[in-house]
């Protein structure tokens, strides 16, 4: 990918993560290219990547994309399945001889000292890698494959979990707590810490999504009353 495509992708992803675009809103290449001061090619590349990541969807009867509305009830179901899978994985992992990768993960999840933590929706990838590594080390290939599939479906909503320094700091601390329980060989403690970690994350993401959707619905109603506004013109009629 080009630097221009990366720049456009990063900024659009930031806005989508912060719910700055309405669900169903069209993402026109021409308008975005003019806004970013680039040609349509890097915008097209960025939009294609965002569609692959689950933020956008193809529109029917119109060339381009529109913002996808998250299916929150389905996300709740996927979180429930994810929790069960990961509980089984860490229980199995903590009961087995300590794998050398556990110590590598402990080093990787040592919170950097002297460095200010900043909101970073892309941290979701590092978080996924942590959880998927534990599942892989547990030795059940089917469980690992199922978890990876679930992560792909909930990624778009989980980016909301890394938008404050506090949440990022908690992620570092909670990951290390899980790893220390695994290294200690205590399956019940590992499951307890993992469960608290996932459930806290789920609660935070649920509340953030609910607030954002409520804000969007209120703004959508306001825009519907003012059809002359540019934003309203960008909505499907």
């Amino acid at each position: 990918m080009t630097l221009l495509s990366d720049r456009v992708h990063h900024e659009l992803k930031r806005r989508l993560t912060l719910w700055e675009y309405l669900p169903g809103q069209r993402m026109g290449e021409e308008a975005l290219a003019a806004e970013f001061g680039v040609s349509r090619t890097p915008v097209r590349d960025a939009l294609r990547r965002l569609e692959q990541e689950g933020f956008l969807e193809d529109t029917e009867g119109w060339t381009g994309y529109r913002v996808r509305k998250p299916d929150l009830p389905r996300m709740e179901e996927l979180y429930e399945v994810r929790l069960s899978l990961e509980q089984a994985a860490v229980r199995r992992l903590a009961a087995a001889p300590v794998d050398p990768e556990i110590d590598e993960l402990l080093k990787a999840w040592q919170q950097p000292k002297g460095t200010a933590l900043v909101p970073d929706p892309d941290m979701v990838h590092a978080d996924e890698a942590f959880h998927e590594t534990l599942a892989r080390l547990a030795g059940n290939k089917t469980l690992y494959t199922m978890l990876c599939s679930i992560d792909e479906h909930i990624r778009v909503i989980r980016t909301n979990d890394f938008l404050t320094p506090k949440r990022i700091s908690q992620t570092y601390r909670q990951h290390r707590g899980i790893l220390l329980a695994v290294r200690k060989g205590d399956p019940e403690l590992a499951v307890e810490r993992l469960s608290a970690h996932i459930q806290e994350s789920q609660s935070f993401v649920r509340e953030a999504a609910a607030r954002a959707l409520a804000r969007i619905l209120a703004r959508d109603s306001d825009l519907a009353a003012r059809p002359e506004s540019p934003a309203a013109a960008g909505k499907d009629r």
Side-chain angles (χ1 to χ4, degrees):
M1 297 294 175
T2 67
L3 291 177
L4 286 177
S5 175
D6 288 340
R7 179 170 67 84
V8 174
H9 172 265
H10 178 77
E11 176 58 19
L12 289 178
K13 186 172 183 177
R14 184 192 69 80
R15 296 179 188 179
L16 287 162
T17 300
L18 295 175
W19 306 78
E20 293 183 7
Y21 295 114
L22 302 175
Q25 183 171 335
R26 292 176 175 177
M27 306 293 284
E29 291 180 9
E30 187 174 350
L32 289 170
E35 178 183 353
F36 284 96
V38 299
S39 69
R40 294 175 66 170
T41 299
V43 171
R44 187 178 302 118
D45 289 340
L47 293 176
R48 185 181 301 115
R49 291 165 65 184
L50 290 166
E51 189 272 334
Q52 293 171 346
E53 293 171 338
F55 289 94
L56 305 177
E57 60 185 354
D58 287 317
T59 58
E60 296 181 5
W62 182 77
T63 302
Y65 301 95
R66 61 184 173 191
V67 180
R68 182 189 298 275
K69 181 178 180 180
D71 185 344
L72 296 185
R74 175 165 167 74
M75 295 291 179
E76 290 285 332
E77 293 177 354
L78 290 172
Y79 255 102
E80 183 178 348
V81 177
R82 176 199 174 196
L83 178 59
S84 297
L85 290 173
E86 294 208 49
Q87 287 173 334
V90 297
R91 179 176 284 110
R92 179 170 179 167
L93 186 58
V98 179
D99 190 289
E101 283 194 57
I102 296 299
D103 286 333
E104 294 177 14
L105 285 172
L106 276 167
K107 293 178 182 178
W109 286 96
Q110 178 65 52
Q111 184 172 322
K113 294 182 178 180
T115 302
L117 297 175
V118 297
D120 183 10
D122 283 332
M123 188 176 171
V124 70
H125 299 293
D127 185 73
E128 286 178 359
F130 168 81
H131 289 277
E132 290 171 7
T133 297
L134 294 185
R136 175 175 57 80
L137 294 178
N140 187 318
K141 292 182 180 180
T142 300
L143 187 155
Y144 170 74
T145 300
M146 292 174 66
L147 178 61
C148 291
S149 177
I150 288 175
D151 282 342
E152 289 180 0
H153 285 87
I154 64 176
R155 182 180 300 132
V156 66
I157 199 74
R158 289 194 61 237
T159 54
N160 290 274
D161 197 20
F162 306 102
L163 300 181
T164 67
K166 179 179 179 180
R167 286 297 302 153
I168 294 175
S169 179
Q170 288 173 329
T171 298
Y172 275 101
R173 177 176 53 80
Q174 291 169 353
H175 281 189
R176 286 184 58 83
I178 295 166
L179 292 168
L180 290 172
V182 169
R183 191 171 67 173
K184 183 181 178 181
D186 190 332
E188 296 310 313
L189 181 60
V191 169
E192 178 184 334
R193 290 179 175 177
L194 173 87
S195 301
H197 168 59
I198 292 179
Q199 289 167 344
E200 180 178 311
S201 171
Q202 180 181 5
S203 177
F204 184 86
V205 169
R206 181 192 299 123
E207 292 172 4
R211 289 195 301 270
L213 286 176
R215 189 170 65 249
I216 286 170
L217 289 173
R219 184 169 61 177
D220 202 10
S221 297
D222 180 60
L223 289 172
R226 297 184 290 113
E228 74 282 358
S229 69
K235 292 276 291 175
D236 287 338
R237 299 184 187 280

